[in-house]
Amino acid sequence: MSALPATMRAWETRGEGTLHPVERPVPRPGPGEVALRVHVCGVCRTDLHVRDGDLAPRRSPVVPGHEVVGTVVGLGAGVTRFAAGERVGVAWLRHTCGACRWCRRGAENLCPESRYTGWDEDGGYAEYAVAPAGFAYALPEALPDEQAAPLLCAGIIGYRALRRAAVPPGGRLGLYGFGGSAHITAQVAIAQGAEVHVLTRDAAARALALELGAVSAGEAYDAPPVPLDSAIVFAPVGDLVPPALAALDRGGTLAVAGIHLSAVPELDYQRHLFRERTLTSVTSNTRADGEELLALAPRLGVTATVTPYPLGRAAHALDDLAADRVHGAAVLHIGDLRP
Ligand SMILES: [Zn+2]
Ligand SMILES: [Zn+2]
């Protein structure tokens, strides 16, 4: 393995609403960790919540970014899962205890000891990153870097949300909000036989939804043209919960996919919940969710619509995401040195 440089370019935040470009020491892998030279890092809405302090800072300053694709350039003590030169992905979940009652029943996403990339530890808005080998993903060769990155959070969380939304075979699924996660989830759902209806305020996103095979695309607060068996709220907007519940047919399920949601207005039992409608959340993901989606996505022909940014424009990428100016998923190209 060639020697790593001493310092690297990165972005960090203290949760005060801004990102700062910095020169930092290149991190060295600890026991059980791999070091990566980062190729690309996806930009996720959760990075905005870290930047803006919606998620209380757990490490400050922290390098955001949890859709990290890179080449292994260093192995900590005891790592046998990967070898130098392999391409791997690093996602949001990076540690669980393995011993609590949730870990033991296959729900490690609920582990109270869980830790996260780009929040508890430094992430991928940087030239190099380290991650626990046990939580990194081998990436299928069929997935180019730029396609793999959005799958690592947007894709995986959407996939878990899709399962939490319990779409019956051939059922009708409503997607509220249509950004990075929803546009991948829609493709998986359609490939698996669901009829997808999209509701979003963004006209370009509605056009993309129809292009990808959605049956209808309406304004965020419109009623869908048919009652829904399942729905997923992707937009971090609690005001969408009552209309999404009201749009459900008997026995329908609404899953809220975000880690952060603005206040949910008062619900009316008859209009929103009676007739056995279910309201549930989605909390992170298990490693099994990730393995499944990464294997499934290339097979189903899922293609993320990507808006690329050079590393030097990470702050702009987040501003664009906050203002709904990103088409599909934003991805930082770490080796692109343009300002
Ligand atoms: Zn645990
Ligand atoms: Zn994310």
Side-chain angles (χ1 to χ4, degrees):
M1 251 172 267
S2 56
L4 299 180
T7 62
M8 65 176 186
R9 300 180 327 140
W11 291 85
E12 53 182 43
T13 181
R14 291 183 163 76
E16 78 284 48
T18 50
L19 277 190
H20 310 279
V22 290
E23 182 98 3
R24 283 184 153 228
V26 168
R28 309 287 150 163
E33 290 184 334
V34 289
L36 310 182
R37 182 172 57 76
V38 181
H39 303 171
V40 297
C41 183
V43 176
C44 173
R45 190 164 285 279
T46 301
D47 304 337
L48 269 182
H49 298 317
V50 169
R51 181 196 75 177
D52 295 343
D54 300 326
L55 295 177
R58 293 210 193 164
R59 174 187 179 88
S60 186
V62 69
V63 176
H66 54 272
E67 295 178 324
V68 191
V69 177
T71 300
V72 175
V73 291
L75 300 170
V79 175
T80 53
R81 184 168 144 84
F82 297 108
E86 266 184 84
R87 194 174 64 126
V88 300
V90 175
W92 177 237
L93 185 71
R94 69 185 283 126
H95 171 80
T96 56
C97 77
C100 71
R101 60 203 186 96
W102 294 280
C103 281
R104 281 178 307 184
R105 74 175 194 221
E108 66 177 355
N109 59 309
L110 300 178
C111 177
E113 305 294 319
S114 57
R115 297 168 67 80
Y116 302 97
T117 307
W119 187 24
D120 291 288
E121 302 291 343
D122 292 327
Y125 287 25
E127 291 179 280
Y128 293 87
V130 297
F135 284 79
Y137 295 96
L139 295 174
E141 259 178 51
L143 273 179
D145 291 344
E146 209 182 48
Q147 286 293 317
L151 292 181
L152 286 166
C153 178
I156 295 174
I157 298 293
Y159 183 63
R160 186 170 184 87
L162 185 58
R163 299 206 319 190
R164 297 285 294 162
V167 191
R172 296 161 172 166
L173 169 68
L175 303 179
Y176 289 79
F178 203 72
S181 192
H183 92 287
I184 295 170
T185 309
Q187 295 176 60
V188 175
I190 291 167
Q192 294 182 332
E195 175 185 312
V196 169
H197 299 270
V198 169
L199 300 112
T200 177
R201 63 184 176 181
D202 178 11
R206 289 197 297 271
L208 176 61
L210 295 173
E211 209 177 287
L212 292 173
V215 170
S216 78
E219 282 281 354
Y221 292 90
D222 283 357
V226 289
L228 304 171
D229 298 304
S230 303
I232 304 171
V233 168
F234 284 102
V237 180
D239 284 339
L240 287 170
V241 170
L245 283 169
L248 290 178
D249 210 341
R250 292 159 186 255
T253 300
L254 170 62
V256 177
I259 189 170
H260 175 81
L261 190 72
S262 59
V264 177
E266 192 175 49
L267 298 178
D268 178 86
Y269 185 65
Q270 286 295 330
R271 284 182 56 211
H272 300 129
L273 290 168
F274 192 59
R275 296 190 190 84
E276 302 202 343
R277 282 168 288 180
T278 300
L279 171 59
T280 185
S281 64
V282 179
T283 298
S284 184
N285 61 276
T286 65
R287 280 171 281 180
D289 295 327
E291 305 284 358
E292 269 179 51
L293 191 264
L294 288 169
L296 203 54
R299 252 187 272 150
L300 298 182
V302 170
T303 306
T305 297
V306 169
T307 302
Y309 290 84
L311 175 62
R313 290 187 62 80
H316 290 86
L318 274 183
D319 288 343
D320 286 350
L321 183 61
D324 284 337
R325 287 191 298 257
V326 175
H327 194 52
V331 172
L332 302 177
H333 283 252
I334 306 302
D336 187 338
L337 300 178
R338 285 175 294 172

